Amino acid sequence: MFHSIILYIVGRFLFVFINLAALYLLIRGHNAPGGGFIAGVTTALSFVFLTIISKSGDIKKLLIVDPIYVMITGLSIVYFLCLYPTFGFKAVLTHSQFTPLLFDVGIYMVVVGVIGSVMSAMIHNTEQLP
Amino acid sequence: MGVSLSFILDGLSYFFGLMITLIGALVFLYSRYYMTGPKEEYGRFYMYLLLFMGTMLGCIFSNNMITFFVFWELTSIFSFCLIGFKYADPEHQKSALTALVVTIGTGLYLLVGCVIAGMGFHTFQISEMVSRYFTLPPVWFTIMLVCILIGAFGKSAQFPFHFWLPSAMKAPVPVSTFLHSAAMVKLGIYAIARFYPILSNHPMWAPLLITIGTLSMTWGAVRAVLSHQIKEILAYSTVSQLGLLVLFYGLSFHGVSHDYFHIANHMFYKATLFMVAGILITSTGIRDIRQLKGLRKYMPLTAFSCAVAAMSMAGIPGTMGFIAKEHILNMFFLLIAHQSLFFGIGFVCFILSSICLFAVGCRLVIPIFGGKKPPSLKIVKPRLPIQIPAIILSSFIAIFGIFPSLWAFLFSSFSVHQLHKFPMDTIHSVSSFPVTKAATIGIFLLGYLLFRYLENKSLSVPAIPFPTLPSLAKLGSTVTHFLRLDKPLDYLFIVIGFLICATGWVSFGFHQPLVGFISDAIKPSMLDIVVTSIICLFAVATVVVNGWIGRLISLTTLGFLISVYFMLHKAPDLALTQLLIESVTLILLLLLLTRFSASTKKIDHRLPFTSLRHILKICISIGAGLWIISILIMMSGPPASPPIGSFFTLHSQSLAKGLNAVNTILVDFRGFDTVGEISVLVIALLGALGLIHRQKDLFSRKS
Amino acid sequence: MTSNLIVFPIILPLITSILLILCYKRLYFRRYLSIASLFLQMYTIIVLTTQVIKENTLQVLYVGGWDAPYGIALTFDLLSGIMTGICVFLAIITLLYGFGYTPIKKEHLFKLPLFFFMIAGIQLSFITGDLFNLFVAFEILLIASFGLMSLESRSNHKKYTYPYVALNLVGSFVFLVTIAVTYRLLGTLNFADMGVRSHLLTSDPRLWVMGVMLIFVFGLKGAFFPLYYWLPKSYPILPTPTGAFYAAMLTKVGVYGMIRLFGTVLPHSLGTLHTLVLVLAIPTMLLGILSAFSKKSMRDILCFNLISHIGVIMMGLGLFTKESLTASLFYMIHHMLVIASLFLIAGLIIKMKGSDNIENIGSLWKTSPLLSGLFLIQGLSLSGLPPFSGFWPTIGLIREGLSQGSYILVFSLLASSLLTLLSMVHILFRGFWDTQSPNVQKPVPYFKPMVGVAGILVLVSLGLGLYPEPVLKLSHDATEMVLNQKAYQSQVLP
Amino acid sequence: MSITTIYLIGVLTSCAIYLILHRSLVKILFGFGLLGHTANLILLASSGNPNGKVAPIIDGVSNSFVDPIPQALILTAIVIGFGVTAYLTALFYHIFQTEKSSHAEDIFPI
């Protein structure tokens, strides 16, 4: 869309930086402001940003996989975490040691997937139109 | 619920059951030769007729008020099917509809009556009600009485509801024979007889029955004389006779005598006449009696049965009708002599209707069968079997008319305690009162004169219009239009307006607490004032700025400012989320609007929205603001109980192993909400993709 | 106490929808999977309900192991059992029917996933015991229903999704405001805890405001009088199988919310609120049905009938006695079955004649007697005539209406019943009896199993009419459970 | 809650309702966005007075926190609101595309 080589190089640098920040937000979410949703939106924003300044304008290429699959993986993690405690005869969604983080990761993936998909669809289709 | 399938087997139900099966059987025989048409229609006709007869019997034998009502309504439904048997004809549809609406509509009153009876007597069993006390206030008893009687009147075509019966004459003749002489219309009479022991003590009983009965008797007889279509004549005379029966029950204080005789009389002669009418219609194809002449040579048997039946209708000696008429005349004289002159009005009406019916009887026999057949009239001679049922019925009329003691012998054991008078007086073939004799002779004379007078006149009465489906459709469109259901743009106005009115009414209704609460509102800090004013400014800007770019900028800035506001209110998670989501939304909206800005700009100069709508818009939005302010003021009062929030800040660390209470709530304490929330995201995405992409583009990796 | 089974009616459809998205290429497998999942769900519901009946107490699940009122409690009582059970039953019926209705190649990939998400939302709203969770449940089912509507309607009809979306978004906004008011006022979101705390302040005007706002929220979902605008133009744009499910279930969620909140949560002494519902019931009953006469399409007519019958249910709700609520509940069960089957019948007509405009069909009485019979039975049933299923609750409602002296309501009930009959007769005359109507298209032989599926539904509702006792008892017990606030609170709050 | 918050929310509601009653779909879209913000602020208002309290992040020092429940609810509401916005955007995208107009009168003739 707005392709320029300098912007793109800076963008790639920023992209890595933003994603590191997102990772940080994700991990510390349980103890400080942050968490899966915030991190997810951050990552998704970085992808959107990169897409807009990149040549092809396709998030799907950048993400390697279709964001829908990212979303489904995240959703599966969350639903699995819902059911997982029932095997140990605990109430649904009872958390143990690492599961809160995993839960956040699930949310993170869903958010990345959803925002990525909807943005890619909008960009893709608005370009296609006359 | 106290609804059970229990049956009542007493003289009353036996009698009605017997009569209905008798006439039913004859009608079945008759329709075998009457009905013509394809085989499957035939089968359908018999199916309806059988179902109808079954429900009739069910109604008569049921002891439970609710099952009684169930069968009652079922008879209406099957009669609807029977009347609308020739379904494709709009006229037939109209009559079927009229019958359905009247009988079901009045049936609903009966339902109300039944329910009240169940409430008052604490049982739905009719047989038990007689021996119980009505526990509700007396006014309920009156309502129950009126409701049950309305039901009965509707079914037996009494005065304000009588119009469905003549209109139902579009049905095939066997249907009219069965439904409109013998079975369905008698159901109302049956209901009156059935509830006589329960209801007749009420002071409203007699006046209601007498008034309605007299009105329908007279009106029916007058209309019968003035009609020319043979089935219409019969229908109106049925209305008249049913009115007479209703009147009869109203006049019978402290027990009824010989009601079976009257009912059987009417059933026999009316069924005969309908069958004769059917024979006439099939063999000549003509319904107007003015065109029929000199038929006796071609169908002597029919002429005979018609004559007997018509004589019974006219009340000529030797028929059941004569005895019945004398009986009622006697009753009137006794009442006038012993009770009051008030019954004189009823008496006069009775005489009047008897005169009319005499004339009708003459009209049905003398011009049709007497005289010479005009050559233009084409006749197919009726076959013998089709004439047999009418002959059987007419011979009953003659036999019981000549030997009334035979009737008494056969049916005296059918009398029911609490309904009938005991001991019953015997029926005489000739009355002992000289006044009665005089009155009878007077009726004959005047009736014959009336017949002669009307012979060469053709009077007609205009039909009363009945609201039908098209008029309902018109009303429906008016309602739809008035409610603005066809204007999607107005929906939001109405719904938000209602919200403001409904809740505003409550929250403004309590002034005092509001005033109390507002004093609790805390003083804002300077920073607060500045931030909120800037947010307000941008909110207003979003509304007033021209062009979508300006609006979008205002809206986004507002979103960022709200995250500042969240920060001020000690909500860092919210601030962060708001900031990020606002950016994503901005990009999303930009993607949408950059594409479509051209098309939106194009159509900007157009007629301004109607000013009324604009004013309304301003009013509603200001109202909404005031509404929310009133709610917030109310909320700013002290909480009624301590909120559970402090639990989480206390235990977040120990129980959920997290320091950020908001996050522990989201992930742990109320994690299920979060599961739902991300499902919502996924759902919204699926919906959005379905709208943006075409089906084949989904899941494709190509761009 | 871990009765984890409670969560299965919610989590099973969620997982199913993930699987359905994943195996988007195996068209037939998707169909088998969805039906199998629904049957499994049905099984869990039956197990739960029998447990509830056997122990005569509700089942509670504290999600995450956090006791109420701090965590989210899912509660499953007899009312939830009835509602979830019917939901799954109707989902099975409409899906099976839909498989015949839409050719497999033309079925949108996201239809089944969205449908299952919607079921999850509906079931969650029947099961949850937490106000905010109820909001989430509503959002799940609403957005899924938006999505499904815009997915399944024809391209030029998709715009009619907008009024539906807009009005429901306003409803969501008000729901959020209500939650804020509730939390500020009572300091809790759990139903049982709300019940305990609201009993302390029955004279507080703030409780009234909260109640009225709740009536707005649920009334909007349940299509009460001035709030039903979203309904008549949105349901008819759906293909009939989906439309049948929407018509049967979605409004009932709102009604369920009313029953739950006014029966279980709020003090029963808030008589003014009940009166408000009663006052709204009259125009809902009458205006709804009157508008039906102005419509030509069978589905339009059915939608307006639907509104009118919501009014009938509201009447029982507003009278607010045990008997009237029982009648309402029974009526609701009856109505879900009947309206769904009528939609399915309309679908068959569309398949046969290419349209459900009653002016254009005609002569069905002659050509397809089976269909006519089904329609006649359900039409009479819809108008509450005996001996069909609508009749039994009508008796109860009349009785309660009379004993509370609400004559106008009884009258409107009877009038709406008669008018419903007329509107059914209207369809019968134009659509079935008339033979002159020009056919839009040549009649297409319909897929036989579809008639069978619709027939099953008709048979069930016929059975309900002829032998109402078990369901009557069930709804009576359910009402008793709903109204027994003390038991609910002691069960949920440890 | 403070009086400024009350007025702020009042103004926001008025503006939002004014926008969603508008004839242009773009403005309606903005209106719903604004309405979402308003709902969040109202939810926040239910947590009461924030003065003298700290954010609900346990630091071991302070013991007077603002109520975390409304914040958690708002987070959920924001996410749901985003979902709704995304869907609405797509719906309007579709409407613009098929109707070639963003004016409600063209789409639903009066």
Side-chain angles (χ1 to χ4, degrees), chain D residues 61-86:
Chain D
V61 184
S62 41
N63 49 10
S64 172
F65 301 101
V66 287
D67 196 337
I69 282 272
Q71 296 194 9
L73 302 188
I74 292 168
L75 265 177
T76 310
I78 289 178
V79 178
I80 290 176
F82 173 71
V84 170
T85 311

Side-chain angles (χ1 to χ4, degrees), chain B residues 121-139:
Chain B
F121 291 108
H122 298 289
T123 178
F124 279 120
Q125 303 295 101
I126 298 169
S127 54
E128 285 177 29
M129 281 180 192
V130 182
S131 55
R132 291 202 190 189
Y133 289 105
F134 192 75
T135 52
L136 291 174
V139 63

Side-chain angles (χ1 to χ4, degrees), chain C residues 113-130:
Chain C
L114 278 174
F115 190 74
F116 272 84
F117 274 124
M118 187 163 78
I119 290 175
I122 294 173
Q123 305 291 47
L124 179 60
S125 54
F126 290 148
I127 288 175
T128 186
D130 187 281

Side-chain angles (χ1 to χ4, degrees), chain B residues 85-162:
Chain B
F85 186 69
K86 291 221 165 61
Y87 49 84
D89 186 342
E91 283 300 310
H92 284 78
Q93 290 181 0
K94 215 168 139 186
S95 354
L97 182 70
T98 315
L100 186 76
V101 170
V102 173
T103 50
I104 297 254
T106 52
L108 291 174
Y109 280 95
L110 178 71
L111 176 63
V112 173
C114 291
V115 171
I116 297 177
M119 281 157 67
F121 291 108
H122 298 289
T123 178
F124 279 120
Q125 303 295 101
I126 298 169
S127 54
E128 285 177 29
M129 281 180 192
V130 182
S131 55
R132 291 202 190 189
Y133 289 105
F134 192 75
T135 52
L136 291 174
V139 63
W140 287 94
F141 197 91
T142 316
I143 298 174
M144 174 179 82
L145 173 90
V146 171
C147 285
I148 290 180
L149 284 183
I150 287 178
F153 291 159
K155 202 75 161 178
S156 54
Q158 291 304 291
F159 173 59
F161 313 115
H162 63 281

